[in-house]
Amino acid sequence: MIKRDKYLNQLINAKNNGFPKVITGVRRCGKSFLLKEIYREYLLSEDVPESRIIVLELDDDKNSKYRDPLELGAYIRGKCKGKDNYYVFIDEIQKVYSIINPNLTDGKHVLANADDTEVISFVEVVLGLSREKNIDLYVTGSNSKMLSSDIVTEFRDKATNIKLSPLSFEEYYGYVGGSATEAIYSYMQFGGMPLAVLKSDEERKEYLKNLFTTTYFADIVERNQLKKGEALDELCNIISSSTGSLLNSEKIANTFASVRHENIDKQTVENYIGYFKDAFLLREAKRYDLKGRKEIGALRKYYFIDTGLRNARLNFAFPDEGQMLENIVYNELCYNGYSVNVGAFDTVEKDKNGKSVRKNNEVDFYATKGLRSLYIQVTVDISNADTREREIRPYFKLNDQVQKVLVVNRPISEALDENGFLIIGITEFLLRTIK
């Protein structure tokens, strides 16, 4: 069994806290397995009788009648009678359809004075069941409806939201074992989607490519009622090949026009990026002025939730190692609870003619968690003097006490260079330094 200890501990800490536990994340990242296998085993080990663990799978046609919110509420309450505590797992909660509150109808029509926006949806059912004193409720969802950020917003302050990601490198390496160097190379190529990890390399490629076309794209097109997905598909390819590059909607629209020889407006680009973010496929890193201490500009960097999914968009052809490393570091920082921005600042310097010019400087990541702050540069190699100088140059210009880190794709143990900058290999950084 692949361990998901971080998420298991979140469930344990939230147990019996009076709120529903809403597990969200990109499809196929292991939400159902976490709940129905890992957490269920924990409850059994704590002497919770199996009869008091209620599992309802709404994607099973045998349970289709419980997709009616009133039927679902009545069924769960009927199974949880008495004073004993029950642990209720509802899988694919988004399959519960919305109905108009029966109190607002005469049985056939909505009453003339009724507000037809007053509906009973799966959100109302979840919140209602969670108020029962003997029910500890856990729900998972996928599909276009549950994946959207607006649903997560509806549960804000009323639920314990657990955001599940594909396997982190720590989780991946804990399962595959062996050489950490070999593991990081495989992880860069194929990522950490749980079912992909269990397959051969060729099977992984097909699985990840099919996952995009038959699952993610289908969800986005369905939810947003897109008539055709060609533009969405091309936009995804552009972002895949530009991972870690500063982008804005105008820049992407121009690239789209040069590739497809047709125009797409900036608002459509922004909408499409929003669809990918709502589906938890993409995350956005904003620029942050390291001297002015504020977010700046319209330029952003976009990172995929999983490098295997990113590479699948490019048919695993000539993947850029530097881009993948940067994507992995970004994801792992988020996984470990850091807030992450792209660091930027300006300096005034003399050019070769002695004229003062303004120069833009960038640090790959400015990461903060509590009282801890890090500047992080990610590079494939620093054996070349010019490469090393380019990577650490911004650090010399930043006269502050923030720890400055250079992450290298080599098996290098943690060490300080002559300037006090931390130089460390990628696996050491992921497994130990950012905890």
Side-chain angles (χ1 to χ4, degrees):
M1 183 183 292
I2 298 174
K3 294 183 178 180
R4 311 299 308 263
D5 289 345
K6 170 187 173 179
Y7 302 109
L8 173 60
N9 289 332
Q10 288 181 358
L11 289 171
I12 293 170
N13 291 335
K15 179 169 168 273
N16 295 319
N17 69 354
F19 293 101
K21 272 59 73 174
V22 180
I23 304 170
T24 59
V26 68
R27 290 192 71 176
R28 302 290 186 265
C29 70
K31 299 184 294 294
S32 298
F33 189 83
L34 169 68
L35 196 55
K36 294 188 291 185
E37 299 294 333
I38 298 175
Y39 188 56
R40 178 177 169 277
E41 285 299 315
Y42 163 78
L43 292 176
L44 293 174
S45 73
E46 292 291 301
D47 297 324
V48 174
E50 192 155 7
S51 61
R52 287 200 274 118
I53 302 175
I54 309 299
V55 179
L56 181 63
E57 298 173 327
L58 291 174
D59 58 342
D60 190 327
D61 63 351
K62 297 195 299 285
N63 299 320
S64 60
K65 69 177 181 179
Y66 302 122
R67 296 172 191 168
D68 179 313
L70 297 181
E71 290 281 353
L72 174 61
Y75 172 75
I76 295 298
R77 289 180 174 89
K79 298 284 287 187
C80 301
K81 289 181 177 178
K83 296 182 179 180
D84 290 331
N85 288 329
Y86 287 84
Y87 299 88
V88 177
F89 303 166
I90 304 178
D91 202 18
E92 305 290 0
I93 188 67
Q94 83 286 339
K95 287 191 173 292
V96 175
Y97 52 82
S98 299
I99 63 170
I100 297 174
N101 188 327
N103 295 326
L104 303 178
T105 73
D106 61 6
K108 295 181 180 179
H109 307 94
V110 177
L111 300 178
N113 62 347
D115 180 354
D116 62 8
T117 63
E118 291 189 46
V119 298
I120 300 175
S121 67
F122 73 83
V123 175
E124 280 71 35
V125 174
V126 168
L127 295 177
L129 288 173
S130 68
R131 296 187 189 104
E132 302 291 340
K133 295 187 181 299
N134 67 331
I135 294 178
D136 194 23
L137 183 63
Y138 302 77
V139 300
T140 71
S142 54
N143 207 306
S144 56
K145 197 173 181 182
M146 190 65 186
L147 286 174
S148 63
S149 57
D150 56 338
I151 295 299
V152 177
T153 300
E154 285 194 59
F155 282 119
R156 187 171 294 159
D157 301 326
K158 303 173 185 176
T160 298
N161 291 311
I162 296 176
K163 300 176 183 178
L164 196 69
S165 295
L167 301 180
S168 68
F169 180 67
E170 180 181 37
E171 292 172 320
Y172 177 84
Y173 183 55
Y175 179 74
V176 302
S179 163
T181 301
E182 291 180 6
I184 193 66
Y185 179 75
S186 176
Y187 186 73
M188 277 195 294
Q189 295 286 317
F190 302 113
M193 296 300 286
L195 289 180
V197 171
L198 305 175
K199 301 177 183 292
S200 68
D201 286 358
E202 286 305 313
E203 289 173 332
R204 290 184 194 185
K205 290 180 181 180
E206 290 305 309
Y207 171 74
L208 292 169
K209 287 189 285 187
N210 289 335
L211 195 56
F212 242 112
T213 55
T214 63
T215 302
Y216 301 140
F217 271 26
D219 278 348
I220 291 172
V221 169
E222 174 195 344
R223 171 173 172 74
N224 299 288
Q225 299 179 338
L226 303 179
K227 294 181 180 179
K228 52 184 180 179
E230 290 87 348
L232 187 77
D233 188 77
E234 187 58 52
L235 176 66
C236 190
N237 288 338
I238 291 170
I239 295 176
S240 300
S241 60
S242 304
T243 302
S245 299
L246 287 169
L247 300 170
N248 60 21
S249 55
E250 183 175 4
K251 195 172 183 178
I252 294 171
N254 291 338
T255 303
F256 184 93
S258 66
V259 171
R260 290 186 60 90
H261 305 293
E262 59 182 87
N263 292 325
I264 182 172
D265 61 82
K266 293 189 293 183
Q267 186 58 53
T268 300
V269 171
E270 290 175 9
N271 290 342
Y272 284 4
I273 290 175
Y275 301 158
F276 287 118
K277 288 165 60 181
D278 276 350
F280 304 131
L281 283 167
L282 287 180
R283 290 194 276 208
E284 178 182 84
K286 298 179 180 179
R287 293 175 76 223
Y288 185 85
D289 185 343
L290 298 177
K291 293 192 173 180
R293 296 295 166 182
K294 61 181 180 179
E295 290 185 353
I296 54 173
L299 291 171
R300 304 281 189 268
K301 288 188 178 183
Y302 295 97
Y303 296 98
F304 277 82
I305 193 71
D306 181 80
T307 53
L309 292 175
R310 178 261 182 188
N311 293 336
R313 292 306 304 158
L314 302 177
N315 202 27
F316 297 92
F318 307 108
D320 185 296
E321 189 174 316
Q323 288 180 329
M324 289 189 293
L325 282 173
E326 196 172 313
N327 202 143
I328 287 171
V329 169
Y330 177 82
N331 285 344
E332 294 280 329
L333 287 166
C334 294
Y335 171 82
N336 283 284
Y338 286 83
S339 296
V340 190
N341 290 95
V342 178
F345 63 99
D346 291 342
T347 54
V348 177
E349 304 176 22
K350 300 289 185 181
D351 65 11
K352 62 182 180 180
N353 298 317
K355 183 180 178 180
S356 294
V357 295
R358 183 173 296 276
K359 184 175 180 59
N360 298 318
N361 302 272
E362 182 181 308
V363 175
D364 288 336
F365 301 120
Y366 171 54
T368 60
K369 182 171 72 170
L371 298 177
R372 190 181 190 193
S373 298
L374 300 171
Y375 296 144
I376 302 166
Q377 294 280 60
V378 184
T379 186
V380 175
D381 190 14
I382 55 170
S383 58
N384 179 280
D386 290 339
T387 301
R388 178 188 173 96
E389 170 63 22
R390 183 183 69 247
E391 294 294 339
I392 66 175
R393 183 184 181 281
Y395 288 168
F396 288 114
K397 305 291 182 179
L398 288 165
N399 186 24
D400 57 30
Q401 301 304 308
V402 176
Q403 186 177 20
K404 299 167 179 67
V405 183
L406 185 61
V407 179
V408 185
N409 191 27
R410 294 290 181 271
I412 301 173
S413 297
E414 184 175 317
L416 295 176
D417 72 359
E418 65 274 14
N419 304 297
F421 306 151
L422 178 66
I423 299 178
I424 188 169
I426 181 68
T427 57
E428 182 80 9
F429 179 77
L430 297 178
L431 294 174
R432 280 170 279 279
T433 301
I434 60 174
K435 303 305 175 197

